[in-house]
Amino acid sequence: DGGITQSPKYLFRKEGQNVTLSCEQNLNHDAMYWYRQDPGQGLRLIYYSQIVNDFQKGDIAEGYSVSREKKESFPLTVTSAQKNPTAFYLCASSLQGATEAFFGQGTRLTVV
Amino acid sequence: GESVGLHLPTLSVQEGDNSIINCAYSNSASDYFIWYKQESGKGPQFIIDIRSNMDKRQGQRVTVLLNKTVKHLSLQIAATQPGDSAVYFCAENQGSARQLTFGSGTQLTVLP
């Protein structure tokens, strides 16, 4: 089945540790995005990438890093510099110029 | 600043009734407005979108209305079913990468 897959579904991290969230899509989409969602709130854009080996900061990029070495993959690293990393993280992809973005099922990150 | 927001955080309707979810926006330069449905613990799912040069668009059991004069967007769901219970987000399209700005969401609860 075509789609966008995030892993793991739940992730626990100790304070001071970096952690990487996986996002893979087999939809042949050029554009990929990472959003953060806090309880009772909408989604906020962390990073986005329109093409391989290129990405741009979104509204809340501080404390996060990404890479786009392959079209199918857009991993997000939550670094120890992120002051409040506990949240629900959503990855999405879309065709260039499309209005419809396809979302993964999310990764819930908890700092313990 | 520009923003997308929702009038009501919660909405309860009887099964079989019609639902109307409202959204206010402030960026009159947006090209598209999109409605997403998010079930608990899952990623948002695209419902319907509308271009800024349209005032109405219909889908299966859903209708989106756009009133540019008062910068208001609404999603109408006909014959609401229990499976419609979810959080509904409106979002506006910004920028060339088609990244989206989301509102905070409305929780729709369908009562038996």
Side-chain angles (χ1 to χ4, degrees):
Chain A
D1 288 354
I4 183 164
T5 303
Q6 290 185 242
S7 62
K9 187 171 183 178
Y10 299 97
L11 188 58
F12 296 88
R13 189 196 91 174
K14 293 183 179 179
E15 284 192 30
Q17 289 182 338
N18 293 352
V19 63
T20 297
L21 283 59
S22 171
C23 179
E24 303 278 334
Q25 54 96 3
N26 59 5
L27 300 167
N28 201 33
H29 287 169
D30 290 306
M32 296 187 74
Y33 315 84
W34 274 105
Y35 291 89
R36 170 184 171 135
Q37 186 176 31
D38 293 288
Q41 298 187 29
L43 283 66
R44 292 182 291 168
L45 182 66
I46 304 172
Y47 268 98
Y48 65 97
S49 169
Q50 300 179 70
I51 197 169
V52 173
N53 293 322
D54 186 57
F55 47 83
Q56 286 78 41
K57 293 181 179 180
D59 299 322
I60 55 166
E62 185 176 353
Y64 300 97
S65 65
V66 294
S67 63
R68 188 85 188 276
E69 297 178 0
K70 298 186 301 181
K71 186 176 184 178
E72 301 80 15
S73 179
F74 191 40
L76 173 74
T77 297
V78 184
T79 74
S80 56
Q82 170 50 237
K83 301 302 181 189
N84 185 22
T86 295
F88 190 47
Y89 290 89
L90 287 157
C91 180
S93 70
S94 71
L95 291 168
Q96 281 292 357
T99 57
E100 181 175 358
F102 292 83
F103 283 83
Q105 293 300 294
T107 293
R108 188 166 299 280
L109 173 64
T110 303
V111 173
V112 297
Chain B
E2 304 294 354
S3 66
V4 176
L6 294 168
H7 291 307
L8 298 171
T10 62
L11 176 66
S12 296
V13 298
Q14 292 293 137
E15 182 177 354
D17 287 352
N18 296 337
S19 303
I20 300 176
I21 301 171
N22 297 305
C23 178
Y25 67 92
S26 58
N27 187 352
S28 55
S30 294
D31 296 327
Y32 282 91
F33 300 89
I34 305 106
W35 281 100
Y36 280 90
K37 172 186 180 183
Q38 186 178 25
E39 296 178 7
S40 181
K42 297 184 178 180
Q45 181 180 13
F46 176 92
I47 301 173
I48 192 169
D49 64 1
I50 187 168
R51 291 186 65 115
S52 58
N53 62 355
M54 301 170 65
D55 53 21
K56 181 178 181 179
R57 190 174 186 201
Q58 288 185 297
Q60 187 177 11
R61 276 201 312 119
V62 295
T63 301
V64 57
L65 300 177
L66 176 62
N67 185 332
K68 294 180 286 293
T69 302
V70 295
K71 296 181 181 176
H72 183 267
L73 187 71
S74 69
L75 177 70
Q76 300 179 3
I77 305 173
T80 312
Q81 302 168 0
D84 294 327
S85 292
V87 176
Y88 289 81
F89 292 96
C90 65
E92 61 177 325
N93 172 272
Q94 291 181 328
S96 60
R98 300 296 187 185
Q99 68 265 39
L100 302 169
T101 298
F102 287 82
S104 57
T106 294
Q107 173 70 58
L108 174 66
T109 301
V110 181
L111 305 172

